Amino acid sequence: MESSILLFLGSLLLHAAIGQYNVDDSGGTGPKFDGIGGLSGGGATSRLLPSYSTEAVSQIFDLLFKPNFAASLQICKVEIGGDGQSTDGTESSHMHSQDDENYHRGYEWWIMTEAKKRNPNIKLYGLSWAYPAWVGNGSGSPYKYPELTAGYIVKWIQGAKSTYGLT
Ligand SMILES: *[C@@H]1O[C@H](CO)[C@@H](O)[C@H](O)[C@H]1NC(C)=O
């Protein structure tokens, strides 16, 4: 998983050892604190997780997502696989081509589902690091044809809902 999560766990233990952090959220008009999140993405960063034993994976998910237990993450952000090298590896897209749709590829659906099982209130977040070439309609850019890019992302959101009940 993310080294940032490990760092976070480390600092959590440090704070626990030193004392208590008080957050005053009683007033003001500043930005709202939405919680603390973890990220699976930016290029196949969780690729090895499915290879661990069921028991070990279950413990890792508990440590990350179970409320009032270890990290207790409040946001789970995942990569929307885009069939392209997005830093450390490649994650599979839900649409290899414009007429292809599959919501069972890769491991991000599984991670979100396991997060939600442990914390039904966890917020989910998806981000593309890469796009299949067809999204650019031959331009090489996912920003030249915004209706294609928006449609592609909307399909992912709809697939998460219809296939897994994830919002
Ligand atoms: C893709 O590009 C072609 C030719 O450049 C254009 O005719 C077509 O409308 C474009 N597709 C979309 C969805 O914009």
Side-chain angles (χ1 to χ4, degrees):
M1 287 297 285
E2 286 283 302
S3 54
S4 57
I5 290 174
L6 295 178
L7 268 179
F8 165 74
L9 284 175
S11 68
L12 194 73
L13 292 174
L14 187 65
H15 291 317
I18 292 169
Q20 196 175 328
Y21 254 79
N22 293 317
V23 177
D24 181 3
D25 63 352
S26 61
T29 54
K32 187 171 159 283
F33 179 67
D34 285 326
I36 294 171
L39 165 64
S40 167
T45 52
S46 305
R47 177 61 192 88
L48 299 179
L49 189 61
S51 305
Y52 282 71
S53 72
T54 309
E55 177 57 24
V57 169
S58 179
Q59 286 178 9
I60 291 168
F61 282 142
D62 283 352
L63 288 164
L64 290 172
F65 302 122
K66 219 168 126 177
N68 306 311
F69 182 78
S72 303
L73 295 176
Q74 290 144 320
I75 303 166
C76 174
K77 176 174 173 178
V78 301
E79 175 162 359
I80 299 174
D83 291 343
Q85 225 299 0
S86 52
T87 305
D88 299 319
T90 298
E91 298 195 34
S92 194
S93 171
H94 58 294
M95 295 177 79
H96 293 321
S97 60
Q98 201 163 358
D99 56 4
D100 172 55
E101 270 184 80
N102 184 311
Y103 300 95
H104 298 280
R105 296 178 184 135
Y107 39 83
E108 305 291 8
W109 306 112
W110 170 62
I111 291 174
M112 287 189 287
T113 302
E114 293 298 321
K116 207 76 179 169
K117 262 188 215 166
R118 286 163 175 81
N119 178 4
N121 295 321
I122 200 162
K123 289 182 179 134
L124 302 174
Y125 186 132
L127 180 67
S128 291
W129 268 259
Y131 293 86
W134 69 264
V135 175
N137 194 21
S139 70
S141 165
Y143 307 112
K144 278 264 162 59
Y145 295 89
E147 72 286 358
L148 283 181
T149 308
Y152 172 77
I153 298 295
V154 166
K155 288 276 190 192
W156 187 87
I157 293 168
Q158 289 173 335
K161 189 71 180 174
S162 63
T163 312
Y164 301 99
L166 299 170
T167 303

